[in-house]
Amino acid sequence: MSTAVAGAVCDSFVPGVAVVAPGGRPEVEIGMPPAFAAFCLSRLEVYNRYVALRVGDEMKARILVGAALGDLAMNWAEALESPSPSVLAWRLLAARTNRVAVSRCLELYRVLSSSQADAVLLRYRLWLPEAKAADVMGRQPEDFGCLLRSAVRSFAA
């Protein structure tokens, strides 16, 4: 790629990761579209807290969140074409998390559906306002409220 073309492409990206050759010269710089970077930054803290709660280890949580966001990066065009990129992001995060979740929250996931259990954790363990929790999961606030109420009824039964 010529320098002019590389500059034009890189101008539309947020600086990301540089792959460095053994001689110390950057071989490839991988950038992130600004919308992707903003999306990730707006959810990073909640994602880390949620995954740490599920897996019981903050370092493992950061690794899992990074991997899930990497999955999202690979599917970012699809996410942007969907009705809600948050839905795909949450699905990817939950899939990675469910593979290594510890017993601390497993009872909740045995009694409730995954979506209901996630809603309960976001609202009552991470203390997110309903609107924020709904946004993180990619749900409409009304839908999230119904999900949460049905979870509470199911758990109480």
Side-chain angles (χ1 to χ4, degrees):
M1 182 182 295
S2 76
T3 306
V5 173
V9 170
C10 291
D11 287 344
S12 65
F13 287 88
V14 173
V17 178
V19 179
V20 180
R25 198 180 102 229
E27 291 290 317
V28 176
E29 185 168 329
I30 302 168
M32 297 183 288
F36 177 75
F39 180 90
C40 293
L41 289 173
S42 72
R43 286 157 173 75
L44 190 60
E45 182 206 352
V46 172
Y47 284 4
N48 279 322
R49 290 175 55 212
Y50 164 80
V51 176
L53 179 64
R54 296 279 319 274
V55 302
D57 182 298
E58 288 184 22
M59 183 57 73
K60 191 181 288 185
R62 286 188 192 107
I63 292 167
L64 288 168
V65 169
L69 292 176
D71 295 342
L72 181 62
M74 298 299 294
N75 294 287
W76 188 240
E78 174 190 342
L80 290 177
E81 292 172 2
S82 74
S84 172
S86 296
V87 170
L88 178 59
W90 189 257
R91 192 175 307 132
L92 294 169
L93 181 69
R96 288 223 176 238
T97 304
N98 290 339
R99 291 185 205 131
V100 296
V102 294
S103 61
R104 292 170 53 184
C105 300
L106 288 181
E107 184 60 32
L108 190 63
Y109 285 83
R110 277 195 269 277
V111 174
L112 304 173
S113 72
S114 292
S115 294
Q116 289 174 322
D118 288 345
V120 168
L121 289 180
L122 290 172
R123 180 68 184 101
Y124 297 118
R125 291 294 302 274
L126 299 182
W127 297 105
L128 296 181
E130 278 193 35
K132 175 68 173 177
D135 179 56
V136 167
M137 289 181 71
R139 295 180 172 270
Q140 295 297 317
E142 305 81 31
D143 179 40
F144 183 84
C146 290
L147 185 65
L148 195 57
R149 286 188 294 282
S150 70
V152 170
R153 281 194 302 272
S154 294
F155 203 66

